Amino acid sequence: MKNFIYLSLIACALTFTSCDDDPEAENPEELITTVIATFSGDNTNNPTMRFEDKDGDGGMEATIVGGTLSANSSYSVELRFLDESTDDVEEITEEIAEEDDEHQVFLAFSGVNTTWSYSDQDGSGNPLGLSTTVTTGDTGTGTLTITLIHEPEKSASGVSDGDITNAGGETDVEVTFPIVIE
Amino acid sequence: MNKTRFNILFLLALCTISLIAQEECSINIAGKILDESTGDALSYANVFIEESGAGVSTDSTGFFLFEDQCAGHIHISITHIGCEEEYIHIDIERDTTIIIYLDHTHHLIEELDVVGKYEASILEESSEITSQGIKDAQDKSLGDQLQNITGVRVIKKGAGLSKPLVHGLTGNRLTILNNGIAQSGQQWGADHAPEIDPLVAQKISVLKGTGSLEYPGSNLGAVLLVEPSSIKLEPHIHGQLNYSFATNGRGHTINSSIQQHKQNHIAWRFNLTAKKSGDSKTADYFLNNTGVQELNAALQLEKSYGDQWFIDIYASTFNTEIGILRGALIGNLTDLGFALEAEEPFYTEGNFSYAIDAPRQLVSHHLTKLQIRKYVDDDTWLTFKAAFQANNRREFDVRRGGRSTTPALHLLQFTSFTELKYHTNFSNGLALKAGYQYNFIDNNNIAGTGNLPLIPNYVSHEQGLFFNLAKSNELLEYSLGARFDYRYQSVATFPLSGPTELVRYQNKFANVSSIAGIKYLITKRQSLLLNLGWASRNPGINELYSQGLHQGVSGIEEGNIDLGIERSLKASLSYSYDNGQNFQFQALSYLQYIDDYIFLNPTGELRLTIRGSFPVFRYVQTDTRLFGLDLETNIKLSEQLHIEMKYSNVIADDLERDLALIDIPSHNLWSSIQYEVPKVIKLPKARLENLKIELNHEYNARQTRVLESQDFAPTPDAYSLIGLSVTSNIQLGSQRFRSYIRMDNMFNVSYRDYLSRLRYFADDLGRNIVIGSRWSF
């Protein structure tokens, strides 16, 4: 089929005409439009935070919904990554879970006294980060940044403890949520 | 009218003095070797008869003598320090005297015409790399070879990805002619190297002045010519086999060419190149995934019918796979920040590998060309040219879900070019050249990448008319030319805002360009050349329509459909002095104003995406000024000891914003000292001719004109590199070889170059030793 396309294009060029001018609409298969972080636990506030940019880069602005967490509490956090650019919503989380050794999620809190740790692993026993445990401290306001790295160097210093500095790789997702601890 | 019209490199004049026929093996062959341009005798030229294995050197009067040679066909090779090796083939029946002219005079810059020796000359500052220079550096890509020319630097992104930058201009502001045909590919990309095998060329030259108006496309900047020579009349099959190995990257290069030109038969030449190299190395670590593979072939056919018709056919294919440093692929500005901090690039491994994984490029370029020339008389001829090019570019990124083997960018471009050109010499010494051209480009995104196209599909029709007049008398030479272009472009693209609806644009551009040149011979030894050029360039397709994230530059690039034409006024003045013996000097200065110069400007806006925030860059126009200086000198301290120095600098400013332009090199100084052994060194079974040892030093100053706010990182420090090379022609029995050893970055210095896109991530190349040998048969 491809050879046929090439040949017909050559024929067009030789006759100085363009046979088929139009590019085909591509479906960006790797697009992630939505990040959902579900906080659960035996707490007063159990928020679901959501970052959504359904038309991809540019165009409409993204919507960001942060949340309120309870002070001095423990949460288990589940992350989901979706492609909602078309009506046929795609669950990218599955693709990440399948290639767990090529992905890692990093959390970073700023402005608030909160710690976190991994509660899942990839096939090689290194952290993945689709599930994490978050322990909040005293009240305050700040931000939570969630970063999904493709092809990190998981064995590099500090990376398996959740330090992104030496991870390398490409950032597939980096979203920041406003949070309040009360 | 005769054949030599086509044999430009056949720089021989033979005159034979016949005596009475003699016995078979008692023939004397005597001769003189003279400098083609000065007529001076060349001493210590080595003359060798392949059939008998006899070799002699010329004396101080350029005279040589072979005694007791047998009758028949003989092949003679002539080598001389500083000359290309020359071969001739003659039939010997009796005592014979030959006078051989060698192209010995070293021209730093010469004015030359674009297509052939007999075309009206365009007065133009030009520098060239000879066949021997190209083949002794066969491990290098075209871009890296060009870097030997003063005023030429390269923008690079690792091995195999280097783009020439001449007098501060690059990309589609330059015209690259492959065998007389303007190279048509995806020149807009900063990491898209010219898809040309330099080893098919007998000469690579750069017209640095105000450009030539003979070609479609931009006439703003320099013209780079890659030219195979015409095939020498010689009834036997001859050729060369050249192999070299480079330690850095453990690269193998093999190149072979064979040719034959029997009287009244089709002359043919076939050229084949294969290259393979793996991870290159800095002074301290391997650069993972920087291997290159290449397989190229070219076929050249020439035939004349009588004295009037000359037909030329050329077909070439260039195929390469290039790995890009894995650690240079980043997702966002945070990643870039980490990469800038890191000592070594991410993914650096301790061991060497030939493997090429994503990110990588897979590029093919095919060219076929037909040229027919009809001579009306000795002074008037018509040339018809038709060429077809296909360029297939696939770029692979590291992607999720096994998509790394699916190209993230796949562009297929076809170009058809036809030209009709008329040339005539009037009786008063005036030469006229005029022509009409039609160039058709069809650019297509091949579906299935799973990415929105970075540049649109388009079709472009371009028609051009040009003329050039040249006249010369004893002291003065003039040339004057003008060109008119009309381009119609039909574009279909998906805008970023709504990737489901197709938007169409119809663009029409009309451009007028003109040049004028004047050369004044002050004395026999000194000349002045002044060129003035007024030219324009249409906005490139990427400048108008590109959209989306460029991972290499960590920014969102936005095209601008409101861009207009760039207009340039350039003046260049060169002075050259040659005392005819031991001192040559050349200076070239230029001043160029480009109004509405198109460049990628940071808008200051940070756009929030799901991958973090990115700075937004947008193509805008400004007024710029570039001025610079190229200096070259050649000093002969003695017959054996030579000094050569080259210096270049460009100063380029954005006049509206009062800022320096980015991606402009700083001062560059190259000096070399060469020791040559003119006498033949005789070993038990071999003779070493023209042994030459060269020690060179390259200095690149830090670019201090760019502000820190104009870049992601401070500009790299100045650096100095030392290189060493030894070359020699070797006679081993009746076989002839040329061998070379070259050491680049001898002291394994760690450095980063301002024009390298990898400088944010990794050091530049460490020590490299290249060893190679070429067998002529």
Side-chain angles (χ1 to χ4, degrees), chain A residues 9-10 13 16 18 21-23 26 28 30 57 95 99 103 151 169-172 174, chain B residues 326 332 334-335 347 399-401 403 414 416 447-448 450-451 457 459 504 610-611:
Chain A
L9 284 170
I10 288 174
F16 308 119
S18 173
D21 225 345
D22 299 347
E26 294 273 350
E30 291 168 286
D57 299 352
E95 210 168 81
E99 296 179 344
H103 290 93
E151 295 206 349
E170 298 89 49
T171 303
D172 275 357
E174 185 185 294
Chain B
R326 178 64 182 87
N332 65 9
T334 320
D335 296 351
Y347 307 102
R399 300 167 89 181
R400 266 200 322 275
R403 294 186 193 96
F414 296 103
S416 297
N451 274 335
N457 284 12
V459 172
R504 289 172 202 283
I610 200 153
R611 286 176 310 286

mmCIF file of all heavy atoms in Angstrom, chain A residues 9-10 13 16 18 21-23 26 28 30 57 95 99 103 151 169-172 174, chain B residues 326 332 334-335 347 399-401 403 414 416 447-448 450-451 457 459 504 610-611:
data_model
loop_
_atom_site.group_PDB
_atom_site.id
_atom_site.type_symbol
_atom_site.label_atom_id
_atom_site.label_comp_id
_atom_site.label_asym_id
_atom_site.label_seq_id
_atom_site.Cartn_x
_atom_site.Cartn_y
_atom_site.Cartn_z
ATOM 1 N N LEU A 9 2.515 9.420 -5.832
ATOM 2 C CA LEU A 9 3.061 10.754 -5.546
ATOM 3 C C LEU A 9 4.144 11.124 -6.564
ATOM 4 O O LEU A 9 4.216 12.260 -7.018
ATOM 5 C CB LEU A 9 3.623 10.807 -4.126
ATOM 6 C CG LEU A 9 2.571 10.897 -3.022
ATOM 7 C CD1 LEU A 9 3.213 10.685 -1.660
ATOM 8 C CD2 LEU A 9 1.851 12.232 -3.056
ATOM 9 N N ILE A 10 4.977 10.151 -6.912
ATOM 10 C CA ILE A 10 6.029 10.414 -7.903
ATOM 11 C C ILE A 10 5.385 10.794 -9.236
ATOM 12 O O ILE A 10 5.777 11.756 -9.896
ATOM 13 C CB ILE A 10 6.936 9.179 -8.076
ATOM 14 C CG1 ILE A 10 7.816 9.009 -6.835
ATOM 15 C CG2 ILE A 10 7.816 9.290 -9.318
ATOM 16 C CD1 ILE A 10 8.636 7.754 -6.812
ATOM 17 N N ALA A 13 4.266 14.329 -9.136
ATOM 18 C CA ALA A 13 5.349 15.308 -9.178
ATOM 19 C C ALA A 13 5.899 15.433 -10.593
ATOM 20 O O ALA A 13 6.229 16.513 -11.051
ATOM 21 C CB ALA A 13 6.448 14.909 -8.214
ATOM 22 N N PHE A 16 3.860 17.671 -12.582
ATOM 23 C CA PHE A 16 3.716 19.000 -11.962
ATOM 24 C C PHE A 16 2.310 19.250 -11.422
ATOM 25 O O PHE A 16 1.794 20.342 -11.481
ATOM 26 C CB PHE A 16 4.059 20.122 -12.944
ATOM 27 C CG PHE A 16 5.387 19.944 -13.591
ATOM 28 C CD1 PHE A 16 5.508 19.815 -14.961
ATOM 29 C CD2 PHE A 16 6.539 19.909 -12.819
ATOM 30 C CE1 PHE A 16 6.740 19.646 -15.544
ATOM 31 C CE2 PHE A 16 7.778 19.745 -13.413
ATOM 32 C CZ PHE A 16 7.875 19.615 -14.776
ATOM 33 N N SER A 18 -0.474 18.315 -8.141
ATOM 34 C CA SER A 18 -0.600 17.720 -6.835
ATOM 35 C C SER A 18 -1.855 16.875 -6.852
ATOM 36 O O SER A 18 -2.938 17.351 -7.131
ATOM 37 C CB SER A 18 -0.720 18.809 -5.789
ATOM 38 O OG SER A 18 -0.992 18.205 -4.569
ATOM 39 N N ASP A 21 -3.643 16.925 -2.089
ATOM 40 C CA ASP A 21 -3.073 18.034 -1.366
ATOM 41 C C ASP A 21 -3.142 17.890 0.145
ATOM 42 O O ASP A 21 -2.378 18.494 0.865
ATOM 43 C CB ASP A 21 -3.920 19.255 -1.732
ATOM 44 C CG ASP A 21 -3.068 20.433 -2.045
ATOM 45 O OD1 ASP A 21 -1.875 20.397 -1.722
ATOM 46 O OD2 ASP A 21 -3.594 21.378 -2.589
ATOM 47 N N ASP A 22 -4.122 17.156 0.593
ATOM 48 C CA ASP A 22 -4.532 17.319 1.977
ATOM 49 C C ASP A 22 -3.856 16.354 2.937
ATOM 50 O O ASP A 22 -3.797 15.165 2.680
ATOM 51 C CB ASP A 22 -6.045 17.129 2.075
ATOM 52 C CG ASP A 22 -6.771 18.168 1.247
ATOM 53 O OD1 ASP A 22 -6.120 19.136 0.840
ATOM 54 O OD2 ASP A 22 -7.967 17.984 0.992
ATOM 55 N N PRO A 23 -3.369 16.883 4.031
ATOM 56 C CA PRO A 23 -2.854 15.984 5.056
ATOM 57 C C PRO A 23 -4.032 15.266 5.724
ATOM 58 O O PRO A 23 -5.135 15.802 5.778
ATOM 59 C CB PRO A 23 -2.148 16.915 6.032
ATOM 60 C CG PRO A 23 -2.746 18.253 5.819
ATOM 61 C CD PRO A 23 -3.291 18.292 4.424
ATOM 62 N N GLU A 26 -4.469 13.475 11.928
ATOM 63 C CA GLU A 26 -3.846 12.449 12.766
ATOM 64 C C GLU A 26 -4.535 12.426 14.115
ATOM 65 O O GLU A 26 -4.944 13.463 14.636
ATOM 66 C CB GLU A 26 -2.361 12.776 12.967
ATOM 67 C CG GLU A 26 -1.527 12.699 11.720
ATOM 68 C CD GLU A 26 -1.002 11.304 11.447
ATOM 69 O OE1 GLU A 26 -1.140 10.433 12.335
ATOM 70 O OE2 GLU A 26 -0.472 11.091 10.342
ATOM 71 N N PRO A 28 -3.568 12.104 17.659
ATOM 72 C CA PRO A 28 -2.369 12.035 18.504
ATOM 73 C C PRO A 28 -2.537 10.967 19.579
ATOM 74 O O PRO A 28 -3.253 11.168 20.553
ATOM 75 C CB PRO A 28 -2.260 13.431 19.094
ATOM 76 C CG PRO A 28 -3.133 14.286 18.248
ATOM 77 C CD PRO A 28 -4.226 13.396 17.751
ATOM 78 N N GLU A 30 -0.599 9.539 21.714
ATOM 79 C CA GLU A 30 0.051 9.563 23.019
ATOM 80 C C GLU A 30 -0.416 10.712 23.883
ATOM 81 O O GLU A 30 0.132 10.950 24.951
ATOM 82 C CB GLU A 30 1.561 9.710 22.841
ATOM 83 C CG GLU A 30 2.209 8.520 22.262
ATOM 84 C CD GLU A 30 3.610 8.897 21.879
ATOM 85 O OE1 GLU A 30 3.773 9.602 20.884
ATOM 86 O OE2 GLU A 30 4.516 8.535 22.617
ATOM 87 N N ASP A 57 -2.384 21.098 23.717
ATOM 88 C CA ASP A 57 -1.621 22.345 23.855
ATOM 89 C C ASP A 57 -2.294 23.467 23.081
ATOM 90 O O ASP A 57 -2.795 23.259 21.997
ATOM 91 C CB ASP A 57 -0.206 22.175 23.296
ATOM 92 C CG ASP A 57 0.563 21.104 24.035
ATOM 93 O OD1 ASP A 57 0.050 20.625 25.066
ATOM 94 O OD2 ASP A 57 1.661 20.756 23.575
ATOM 95 N N GLU A 95 -1.721 1.865 29.808
ATOM 96 C CA GLU A 95 -0.486 1.813 29.033
ATOM 97 C C GLU A 95 0.738 2.018 29.944
ATOM 98 O O GLU A 95 1.763 1.366 29.784
ATOM 99 C CB GLU A 95 -0.524 2.925 27.970
ATOM 100 C CG GLU A 95 0.218 2.617 26.711
ATOM 101 C CD GLU A 95 -0.106 3.626 25.611
ATOM 102 O OE1 GLU A 95 0.495 4.711 25.662
ATOM 103 O OE2 GLU A 95 -0.937 3.344 24.738
ATOM 104 N N GLU A 99 3.803 -0.673 30.855
ATOM 105 C CA GLU A 99 5.225 -0.353 30.683
ATOM 106 C C GLU A 99 5.752 0.245 31.973
ATOM 107 O O GLU A 99 6.418 1.284 31.977
ATOM 108 C CB GLU A 99 5.400 0.642 29.532
ATOM 109 C CG GLU A 99 4.989 0.074 28.199
ATOM 110 C CD GLU A 99 5.147 1.063 27.060
ATOM 111 O OE1 GLU A 99 5.288 2.262 27.326
ATOM 112 O OE2 GLU A 99 5.124 0.625 25.902
ATOM 113 N N HIS A 103 8.266 3.952 33.360
ATOM 114 C CA HIS A 103 7.585 5.141 33.878
ATOM 115 C C HIS A 103 7.796 5.283 35.374
ATOM 116 O O HIS A 103 8.002 4.303 36.078
ATOM 117 C CB HIS A 103 6.078 5.058 33.592
ATOM 118 C CG HIS A 103 5.747 5.208 32.146
ATOM 119 N ND1 HIS A 103 5.618 4.130 31.310
ATOM 120 C CD2 HIS A 103 5.518 6.312 31.398
ATOM 121 C CE1 HIS A 103 5.336 4.568 30.087
ATOM 122 N NE2 HIS A 103 5.272 5.889 30.118
ATOM 123 N N GLU A 151 10.770 6.854 30.672
ATOM 124 C CA GLU A 151 12.146 6.351 30.632
ATOM 125 C C GLU A 151 13.073 7.049 31.631
ATOM 126 O O GLU A 151 14.118 7.582 31.256
ATOM 127 C CB GLU A 151 12.723 6.425 29.209
ATOM 128 C CG GLU A 151 11.999 5.504 28.244
ATOM 129 C CD GLU A 151 12.859 5.056 27.070
ATOM 130 O OE1 GLU A 151 13.943 5.616 26.873
ATOM 131 O OE2 GLU A 151 12.439 4.128 26.379
ATOM 132 N N GLY A 169 15.224 11.285 31.522
ATOM 133 C CA GLY A 169 13.975 10.960 30.835
ATOM 134 C C GLY A 169 13.223 12.186 30.368
ATOM 135 O O GLY A 169 13.707 13.309 30.477
ATOM 136 N N GLU A 170 12.034 11.946 29.815
ATOM 137 C CA GLU A 170 11.227 13.072 29.366
ATOM 138 C C GLU A 170 10.006 13.211 30.249
ATOM 139 O O GLU A 170 9.396 12.231 30.646
ATOM 140 C CB GLU A 170 10.706 12.884 27.941
ATOM 141 C CG GLU A 170 11.765 12.766 26.910
ATOM 142 C CD GLU A 170 12.159 11.329 26.749
ATOM 143 O OE1 GLU A 170 11.280 10.481 26.606
ATOM 144 O OE2 GLU A 170 13.370 11.061 26.831
ATOM 145 N N THR A 171 9.637 14.435 30.478
ATOM 146 C CA THR A 171 8.439 14.703 31.249
ATOM 147 C C THR A 171 7.222 14.535 30.347
ATOM 148 O O THR A 171 7.068 15.261 29.372
ATOM 149 C CB THR A 171 8.494 16.126 31.810
ATOM 150 O OG1 THR A 171 9.687 16.241 32.579
ATOM 151 C CG2 THR A 171 7.291 16.422 32.674
ATOM 152 N N ASP A 172 6.388 13.549 30.659
ATOM 153 C CA ASP A 172 5.130 13.394 29.910
ATOM 154 C C ASP A 172 4.032 14.244 30.543
ATOM 155 O O ASP A 172 3.141 14.724 29.863
ATOM 156 C CB ASP A 172 4.697 11.928 29.912
ATOM 157 C CG ASP A 172 5.371 11.142 28.801
ATOM 158 O OD1 ASP A 172 6.116 11.765 28.012
ATOM 159 O OD2 ASP A 172 5.167 9.924 28.717
ATOM 160 N N GLU A 174 3.421 17.194 33.807
ATOM 161 C CA GLU A 174 3.865 17.973 34.963
ATOM 162 C C GLU A 174 2.736 18.957 35.269
ATOM 163 O O GLU A 174 2.568 19.952 34.571
ATOM 164 C CB GLU A 174 5.163 18.703 34.655
ATOM 165 C CG GLU A 174 5.728 19.425 35.877
ATOM 166 C CD GLU A 174 6.960 20.261 35.539
ATOM 167 O OE1 GLU A 174 7.999 19.674 35.173
ATOM 168 O OE2 GLU A 174 6.861 21.502 35.610
ATOM 169 N N ARG B 326 20.880 10.301 23.274
ATOM 170 C CA ARG B 326 19.670 9.991 24.036
ATOM 171 C C ARG B 326 19.412 11.035 25.123
ATOM 172 O O ARG B 326 18.275 11.440 25.360
ATOM 173 C CB ARG B 326 19.817 8.589 24.641
ATOM 174 C CG ARG B 326 18.668 8.135 25.495
ATOM 175 C CD ARG B 326 17.380 8.003 24.684
ATOM 176 N NE ARG B 326 16.253 7.619 25.520
ATOM 177 C CZ ARG B 326 15.481 8.462 26.178
ATOM 178 N NH1 ARG B 326 15.730 9.759 26.104
ATOM 179 N NH2 ARG B 326 14.476 8.047 26.907
ATOM 180 N N ASN B 332 10.548 18.971 29.109
ATOM 181 C CA ASN B 332 10.149 20.357 29.383
ATOM 182 C C ASN B 332 11.313 21.127 29.998
ATOM 183 O O ASN B 332 12.431 20.624 30.087
ATOM 184 C CB ASN B 332 8.903 20.406 30.266
ATOM 185 C CG ASN B 332 9.142 19.838 31.657
ATOM 186 O OD1 ASN B 332 10.271 19.548 32.020
ATOM 187 N ND2 ASN B 332 8.079 19.682 32.422
ATOM 188 N N THR B 334 11.898 21.958 33.032
ATOM 189 C CA THR B 334 12.449 21.363 34.254
ATOM 190 C C THR B 334 13.508 20.337 33.889
ATOM 191 O O THR B 334 14.596 20.284 34.463
ATOM 192 C CB THR B 334 11.330 20.671 35.053
ATOM 193 O OG1 THR B 334 10.166 21.482 34.993
ATOM 194 C CG2 THR B 334 11.738 20.432 36.473
ATOM 195 N N ASP B 335 13.191 19.507 32.864
ATOM 196 C CA ASP B 335 14.156 18.503 32.410
ATOM 197 C C ASP B 335 15.431 19.176 31.918
ATOM 198 O O ASP B 335 16.540 18.714 32.181
ATOM 199 C CB ASP B 335 13.584 17.686 31.235
ATOM 200 C CG ASP B 335 12.365 16.865 31.638
ATOM 201 O OD1 ASP B 335 12.076 16.804 32.842
ATOM 202 O OD2 ASP B 335 11.713 16.305 30.745
ATOM 203 N N TYR B 347 21.607 8.847 30.728
ATOM 204 C CA TYR B 347 21.720 7.618 29.918
ATOM 205 C C TYR B 347 23.139 7.332 29.457
ATOM 206 O O TYR B 347 23.349 6.499 28.594
ATOM 207 C CB TYR B 347 20.827 7.655 28.667
ATOM 208 C CG TYR B 347 19.407 7.968 28.979
ATOM 209 C CD1 TYR B 347 18.897 9.244 28.762
ATOM 210 C CD2 TYR B 347 18.571 7.000 29.532
ATOM 211 C CE1 TYR B 347 17.595 9.545 29.071
ATOM 212 C CE2 TYR B 347 17.270 7.299 29.846
ATOM 213 C CZ TYR B 347 16.784 8.573 29.620
ATOM 214 O OH TYR B 347 15.501 8.872 29.925
ATOM 215 N N ARG B 399 8.940 7.036 22.427
ATOM 216 C CA ARG B 399 7.502 7.170 22.665
ATOM 217 C C ARG B 399 6.981 6.000 23.489
ATOM 218 O O ARG B 399 7.602 4.970 23.587
ATOM 219 C CB ARG B 399 6.756 7.231 21.324
ATOM 220 C CG ARG B 399 7.193 8.398 20.485
ATOM 221 C CD ARG B 399 6.699 8.260 19.074
ATOM 222 N NE ARG B 399 5.382 8.860 18.913
ATOM 223 C CZ ARG B 399 4.737 8.835 17.754
ATOM 224 N NH1 ARG B 399 5.239 8.215 16.704
ATOM 225 N NH2 ARG B 399 3.553 9.412 17.658
ATOM 226 N N ARG B 400 5.799 6.210 24.036
ATOM 227 C CA ARG B 400 5.150 5.184 24.847
ATOM 228 C C ARG B 400 4.520 4.110 23.969
ATOM 229 O O ARG B 400 4.225 4.341 22.811
ATOM 230 C CB ARG B 400 4.028 5.816 25.671
ATOM 231 C CG ARG B 400 4.382 6.236 27.055
ATOM 232 C CD ARG B 400 3.142 6.372 27.917
ATOM 233 N NE ARG B 400 1.998 6.924 27.203
ATOM 234 C CZ ARG B 400 1.785 8.225 27.047
ATOM 235 N NH1 ARG B 400 2.624 9.100 27.532
ATOM 236 N NH2 ARG B 400 0.719 8.650 26.394
ATOM 237 N N GLY B 401 4.247 2.960 24.586
ATOM 238 C CA GLY B 401 3.418 1.941 23.949
ATOM 239 C C GLY B 401 4.018 1.380 22.671
ATOM 240 O O GLY B 401 3.299 1.112 21.719
ATOM 241 N N ARG B 403 5.667 2.777 20.378
ATOM 242 C CA ARG B 403 5.550 3.633 19.190
ATOM 243 C C ARG B 403 6.890 4.229 18.754
ATOM 244 O O ARG B 403 6.923 5.004 17.806
ATOM 245 C CB ARG B 403 4.549 4.764 19.448
ATOM 246 C CG ARG B 403 3.139 4.258 19.643
ATOM 247 C CD ARG B 403 2.138 5.380 19.758
ATOM 248 N NE ARG B 403 0.877 4.852 20.243
ATOM 249 C CZ ARG B 403 0.496 4.867 21.513
ATOM 250 N NH1 ARG B 403 1.259 5.410 22.433
ATOM 251 N NH2 ARG B 403 -0.664 4.353 21.874
ATOM 252 N N PHE B 414 8.787 15.860 -3.226
ATOM 253 C CA PHE B 414 9.244 15.678 -4.597
ATOM 254 C C PHE B 414 9.497 17.036 -5.228
ATOM 255 O O PHE B 414 8.730 17.971 -5.025
ATOM 256 C CB PHE B 414 8.183 14.946 -5.428
ATOM 257 C CG PHE B 414 7.929 13.570 -4.939
ATOM 258 C CD1 PHE B 414 6.805 13.296 -4.193
ATOM 259 C CD2 PHE B 414 8.837 12.559 -5.182
ATOM 260 C CE1 PHE B 414 6.575 12.022 -3.702
ATOM 261 C CE2 PHE B 414 8.620 11.282 -4.701
ATOM 262 C CZ PHE B 414 7.483 11.016 -3.963
ATOM 263 N N SER B 416 10.606 18.784 -9.005
ATOM 264 C CA SER B 416 10.942 18.678 -10.429
ATOM 265 C C SER B 416 11.468 20.027 -10.887
ATOM 266 O O SER B 416 10.879 21.054 -10.571
ATOM 267 C CB SER B 416 9.710 18.358 -11.274
ATOM 268 O OG SER B 416 9.206 17.128 -10.924
ATOM 269 N N ALA B 447 0.735 9.902 6.498
ATOM 270 C CA ALA B 447 -0.114 9.674 7.662
ATOM 271 C C ALA B 447 0.372 8.476 8.476
ATOM 272 O O ALA B 447 1.092 7.620 7.970
ATOM 273 C CB ALA B 447 -1.542 9.442 7.197
ATOM 274 N N GLY B 448 -0.025 8.454 9.710
ATOM 275 C CA GLY B 448 0.304 7.315 10.563
ATOM 276 C C GLY B 448 1.317 7.627 11.635
ATOM 277 O O GLY B 448 1.792 6.740 12.332
ATOM 278 N N GLY B 450 0.766 9.573 14.228
ATOM 279 C CA GLY B 450 0.145 9.787 15.531
ATOM 280 C C GLY B 450 0.522 11.134 16.125
ATOM 281 O O GLY B 450 0.425 11.340 17.322
ATOM 282 N N ASN B 451 0.947 12.055 15.282
ATOM 283 C CA ASN B 451 1.280 13.414 15.722
ATOM 284 C C ASN B 451 0.666 14.396 14.749
ATOM 285 O O ASN B 451 0.575 14.105 13.559
ATOM 286 C CB ASN B 451 2.796 13.644 15.674
ATOM 287 C CG ASN B 451 3.471 13.187 16.938
ATOM 288 O OD1 ASN B 451 2.864 13.132 17.995
ATOM 289 N ND2 ASN B 451 4.745 12.865 16.824
ATOM 290 N N ASN B 457 1.224 20.241 4.428
ATOM 291 C CA ASN B 457 1.385 19.785 3.052
ATOM 292 C C ASN B 457 1.323 21.022 2.163
ATOM 293 O O ASN B 457 0.529 21.916 2.410
ATOM 294 C CB ASN B 457 0.228 18.876 2.649
ATOM 295 C CG ASN B 457 0.364 17.492 3.244
ATOM 296 O OD1 ASN B 457 1.183 17.279 4.124
ATOM 297 N ND2 ASN B 457 -0.439 16.573 2.763
ATOM 298 N N VAL B 459 2.115 22.610 -2.103
ATOM 299 C CA VAL B 459 2.586 22.485 -3.466
ATOM 300 C C VAL B 459 3.092 23.861 -3.858
ATOM 301 O O VAL B 459 2.471 24.861 -3.528
ATOM 302 C CB VAL B 459 1.432 22.071 -4.396
ATOM 303 C CG1 VAL B 459 1.873 22.138 -5.833
ATOM 304 C CG2 VAL B 459 0.962 20.693 -4.065
ATOM 305 N N ARG B 504 -6.841 26.219 4.294
ATOM 306 C CA ARG B 504 -6.014 26.342 3.077
ATOM 307 C C ARG B 504 -5.518 27.769 2.901
ATOM 308 O O ARG B 504 -6.228 28.713 3.217
ATOM 309 C CB ARG B 504 -6.823 25.969 1.846
ATOM 310 C CG ARG B 504 -7.121 24.516 1.751
ATOM 311 C CD ARG B 504 -8.086 24.240 0.618
ATOM 312 N NE ARG B 504 -8.737 22.977 0.861
ATOM 313 C CZ ARG B 504 -8.164 21.808 0.650
ATOM 314 N NH1 ARG B 504 -6.940 21.756 0.173
ATOM 315 N NH2 ARG B 504 -8.802 20.689 0.914
ATOM 316 N N ILE B 610 -0.045 20.232 29.775
ATOM 317 C CA ILE B 610 -0.050 19.130 30.740
ATOM 318 C C ILE B 610 1.372 18.649 31.027
ATOM 319 O O ILE B 610 1.622 17.977 32.011
ATOM 320 C CB ILE B 610 -0.970 18.002 30.241
ATOM 321 C CG1 ILE B 610 -1.380 17.101 31.408
ATOM 322 C CG2 ILE B 610 -0.323 17.207 29.118
ATOM 323 C CD1 ILE B 610 -2.677 16.412 31.240
ATOM 324 N N ARG B 611 2.331 19.010 30.171
ATOM 325 C CA ARG B 611 3.727 18.646 30.427
ATOM 326 C C ARG B 611 4.486 19.768 31.123
ATOM 327 O O ARG B 611 5.698 19.790 31.124
ATOM 328 C CB ARG B 611 4.429 18.281 29.124
ATOM 329 C CG ARG B 611 4.025 16.936 28.571
ATOM 330 C CD ARG B 611 4.656 16.633 27.242
ATOM 331 N NE ARG B 611 4.487 17.736 26.303
ATOM 332 C CZ ARG B 611 3.361 18.030 25.695
ATOM 333 N NH1 ARG B 611 2.278 17.334 25.930
ATOM 334 N NH2 ARG B 611 3.293 19.033 24.855
#
